[in-house]
Amino acid sequence: MAGSVAYARLPNDAANSETRHLLNREPVVHHTTHGGQITVQPDGLSYTYTYGPKGLAGLAHNRYALLCAIFASIGGLSFGYDQGVIANVLVMKDFITRWPITPIEEGFMTAILELGALIGALCAGIFADSYSRRFSIFISCIIFCIGSTFQCGAQTLLQLFIGRAIGGVGVGALSTLSPLYMAEISPPEVRGSLMALEQLAIVSGVVLGFWLGYFTRHIPGSVSWRIPLGIQIIPAAILILGCAFLPASPRLLVLQGKHDEAITSLARLRLRTIDEARNDLLIQIEFLEMRVESTMIHRTFGTAESPKSKFSFADEWNSWKRLLERNNRDRTMVGVLMAFFQQWSGINALLYYGPILVKNIGLSGGKVTLLVSGGIGIVQFFAVLPVIAYIDRWGRRPLLRGGSIVMTLSHFSIFLLITLFASNWASHPTAAWISVGFVYLFTAAYGMSFGPVAWVLPSEVFSLSMRSKGVALSTASVWVNNFLIGLITPVMLEWSAAGTFLLFTTSSFLAYVWVTYTVPETANMSLEEIDQDGMFRSSVGREEVIMKAQVCVC
């Protein structure tokens, strides 16, 4: 979406030719300084605005916001790094000799991080408003570093479990805070691209974690796995330092009544001086929208502007319950099920247990299995790059539907190959490598669909007053399902590798059906347009537009 609103009249400074455009019911385009533009619709009231172009050109144009988003996405890098490194740690010689664990213990060690992340994600949704985004990110990084220290220095299996649980709290909090911060600092025309950076950071962490573990696996002793588990402290430390330089969220500052600070932060993000910001029409429009949004939130929840919100369990509980009310239920299900199908597509089963899984499709030799599973992260990395550039042009639904079809066919093909040749892979090496090809095809499809879109869509389907809570709940759903995948995958692989891929086939097919009949296309659409599209059985978007008009009149 590109800042589409319908609640404020622009200044009446149009030239005669522009007035004629309005009389002829034609949009009028006003070009502003610094490459932006405002398009006034024929009704003279509604408009759209952009600070610059979309896609890669827009990211370059908004280079400071891009830099801040890259810093914030380090939280996703930490999540991905753990996914990539644990696959190698679980098969390292010293680790296996030191702690010969059962499949249940193996699954629990992987899944306990997700359980901690669930707690962190939910807590982040509360404390981010009570304090600030930057301070919450800072504390989350501290918690993550404590957990990583426990893992790196573990002398017992219990210490390793504790470290992963503590680190999970930090990772889960960052997985909520980073996208939230990025959404609030992003110019409207590149919000989708900047949000997709979260997925790019995750897969970058996967690649870095996997290959670092791959190259340290032959180092004698426990250093082979302590090094990769310890190095994850470095990006968290960088983000801790970066928090001192990141600009505050202008939206939160407005919510707290700090209007002068909000203008200063917004000017910094949009590469304007303070004097320029006071006379920049785009800055003033965006600031007005923030004030209207803030007023709506305070009216909805009966609160007042305050530098620090007074925490109340009763108020928090009531606000969370609103997600399940009739007006919000369908939107909540989209956010929660998007996370569900993202995880049950099978991607994290491949990342966590890649070497083990590759052995089950007929490839032998430690080096071969590690190289093949390491390629999964690389394929995913390159698959997400075009999505960052074109997600706002291609749309969400085409990416999700196309991706789910390819994922279904890939999983089903692997299921057939395992069923036909698992009894004698040695005599059918070609079938084994074809299976690997389908694994890579699935990974590419996921990297262009459910991987990035699952981080973008939840921020768009929720109505204005419920967006922060809705995103937090959707992120919590990521971690619940990630926990279940990490827990049951090794048991399922031991029971039946073919059955594991058949489960992922079914899930991917159900994802296609769900997207086709339930998920709206949100690219370049306002909330009232989504309501009119018939995808949601409520008019909450239209109701909030009416409230916007009332606020501006006041």
Side-chain angles (χ1 to χ4, degrees):
M1 293 180 288
S4 179
V5 290
Y7 60 87
R9 183 182 297 275
L10 291 173
N12 186 23
D13 59 354
N16 290 335
S17 61
E18 294 172 342
T19 304
R20 286 195 296 271
H21 277 292
L22 292 176
L23 292 175
N24 293 330
R25 303 195 63 79
E26 297 176 358
V28 176
V29 178
H30 298 269
H31 294 282
T32 67
T33 57
H34 302 282
Q37 69 176 38
I38 305 170
T39 302
V40 183
Q41 300 304 320
D43 60 10
L45 296 173
S46 59
Y47 59 88
T48 61
Y49 66 93
T50 62
Y51 282 93
K54 296 181 180 181
L56 295 179
L59 293 176
H61 184 80
N62 295 281
R63 53 192 177 277
Y64 185 70
L66 173 62
L67 180 63
C68 293
I70 290 174
F71 251 100
S73 69
I74 291 178
L77 182 75
S78 299
F79 169 33
Y81 185 91
D82 177 83
Q83 288 182 308
V85 78
I86 198 65
N88 275 297
V89 169
L90 289 175
V91 297
M92 287 184 179
K93 183 178 179 180
D94 181 83
F95 187 88
I96 295 174
T97 303
R98 184 182 299 264
W99 294 311
I101 58 179
T102 65
I104 290 290
E105 290 174 324
E106 185 177 279
F108 186 71
M109 187 178 69
T110 302
I112 195 172
L113 182 136
E114 279 69 50
L115 187 60
L118 169 63
I119 297 172
L122 293 175
C123 290
I126 298 173
F127 291 108
D129 288 334
S130 299
Y131 298 96
S132 72
R133 311 320 192 208
R134 292 186 302 174
F135 181 74
S136 299
I137 291 174
F138 175 82
I139 295 299
S140 300
C141 290
I142 294 292
I143 294 173
F144 178 77
C145 288
I146 293 173
S148 299
T149 302
F150 263 91
Q151 293 180 65
C152 178
Q155 299 299 318
T156 66
L157 200 58
L158 177 60
Q159 292 176 357
L160 188 61
F161 284 159
I162 292 173
R164 290 186 62 75
I166 295 174
V169 173
V171 168
L174 289 170
S175 68
T176 295
L177 295 167
S178 295
L180 179 62
Y181 178 76
M182 286 190 284
E184 292 181 348
I185 67 170
S186 301
E189 69 274 7
V190 292
R191 184 169 292 121
S193 295
L194 288 178
M195 294 291 287
L197 286 176
E198 177 74 3
Q199 180 64 14
L200 180 64
I202 291 173
V203 297
S204 297
V206 169
V207 173
L208 178 62
F210 183 91
W211 289 104
L212 183 61
Y214 177 81
F215 288 116
T216 65
R217 74 192 192 284
H218 290 313
I219 297 177
S222 64
V223 177
S224 59
W225 55 270
R226 293 190 191 277
I227 288 177
L229 288 179
I231 283 181
Q232 60 187 333
I233 297 175
I234 296 176
I238 293 174
L239 184 53
I240 288 174
L241 296 175
C243 286
F245 302 97
L246 290 175
S249 164
R251 177 185 177 276
L252 184 62
L253 291 173
V254 170
L255 194 67
Q256 295 174 341
K258 302 176 181 178
H259 295 163
D260 290 339
E261 293 180 38
I263 281 287
T264 301
S265 178
L266 188 60
R268 184 178 172 190
L269 286 163
R270 302 297 178 258
L271 297 175
R272 310 287 200 270
T273 65
I274 298 299
D275 291 335
E276 288 176 333
R278 292 194 179 98
N279 299 301
D280 191 298
L281 187 57
L282 292 181
I283 294 285
Q284 294 304 316
I285 288 175
E286 189 172 9
F287 178 64
L288 172 63
E289 291 179 344
M290 292 179 184
R291 294 195 62 178
V292 170
E293 179 184 50
S294 172
T295 303
M296 288 177 60
I297 291 174
H298 290 307
R299 284 191 179 185
T300 300
F301 293 104
T303 58
E305 290 184 347
S306 172
K308 182 179 287 188
S309 303
K310 183 179 179 180
F311 179 79
S312 167
F313 281 105
D315 291 342
E316 282 295 326
W317 174 245
N318 289 331
S319 64
W320 285 99
K321 285 197 301 183
R322 292 187 68 222
L323 289 171
L324 298 179
E325 293 177 355
R326 183 178 59 85
N327 279 348
N328 294 305
R329 194 175 301 138
D330 290 346
R331 300 167 189 266
T332 300
M333 292 305 295
V334 168
V336 170
L337 288 177
M338 175 60 64
F340 173 87
F341 285 116
Q342 183 198 49
Q343 297 305 307
W344 285 93
S345 67
I347 185 63
N348 285 332
L350 294 176
L351 293 174
Y352 286 138
Y353 305 107
I356 299 171
L357 191 144
V358 169
K359 290 180 182 177
N360 280 278
I361 59 176
L363 295 180
S364 59
K367 185 175 181 178
V368 172
T369 56
L370 286 173
L371 286 173
V372 170
S373 57
I376 294 172
I378 295 176
V379 171
Q380 193 179 174
F381 176 84
F382 285 105
V384 76
L385 293 178
V387 177
I388 292 175
Y390 298 108
I391 185 172
D392 291 313
R393 297 181 184 179
W394 292 344
R396 283 53 160 162
R397 275 170 55 87
L399 289 172
L400 292 172
R401 294 182 69 197
S404 57
I405 290 174
V406 176
M407 290 190 301
T408 300
L409 294 176
S410 299
H411 281 316
F412 187 68
S413 298
I414 298 172
F415 161 74
L416 290 178
L417 289 167
I418 292 176
T419 302
L420 294 173
F421 304 112
S423 60
N424 190 12
W425 282 115
S427 300
H428 302 89
T430 302
W433 283 105
I434 291 175
S435 298
V436 172
F438 280 117
V439 168
Y440 285 166
L441 180 62
F442 155 77
T443 304
Y446 171 86
M448 296 185 67
S449 57
F450 279 84
V453 176
W455 296 107
V456 176
L457 196 62
S459 66
E460 298 175 324
V461 298
F462 289 101
S463 58
L464 184 62
S465 62
M466 295 307 302
R467 189 162 297 141
S468 61
K469 291 291 189 297
V471 172
L473 186 63
S474 301
T475 305
S477 177
V478 169
W479 294 110
V480 169
N481 290 286
N482 206 337
F483 171 81
L484 294 175
I485 287 289
L487 189 63
I488 71 171
T489 297
V491 179
M492 290 181 60
L493 287 174
E494 186 176 73
W495 168 67
S496 172
T500 303
F501 280 100
L502 184 60
L503 174 64
F504 295 148
T505 299
T506 304
S507 177
S508 297
F509 176 74
L510 291 176
Y512 171 80
V513 175
W514 172 71
V515 169
T516 300
Y517 294 104
T518 305
V519 177
E521 177 54 72
T522 58
N524 302 309
M525 292 182 68
S526 65
L527 287 173
E528 65 270 22
E529 288 172 329
I530 295 174
D531 280 337
Q532 293 166 1
D533 197 36
M535 298 305 296
F536 294 120
R537 295 170 295 181
S538 74
S539 59
V540 65
R542 293 191 297 273
E543 292 168 359
E544 292 193 351
V545 168
I546 295 173
M547 187 185 294
K548 279 183 177 180
Q550 294 172 346
V551 169
C552 279
V553 169
C554 294

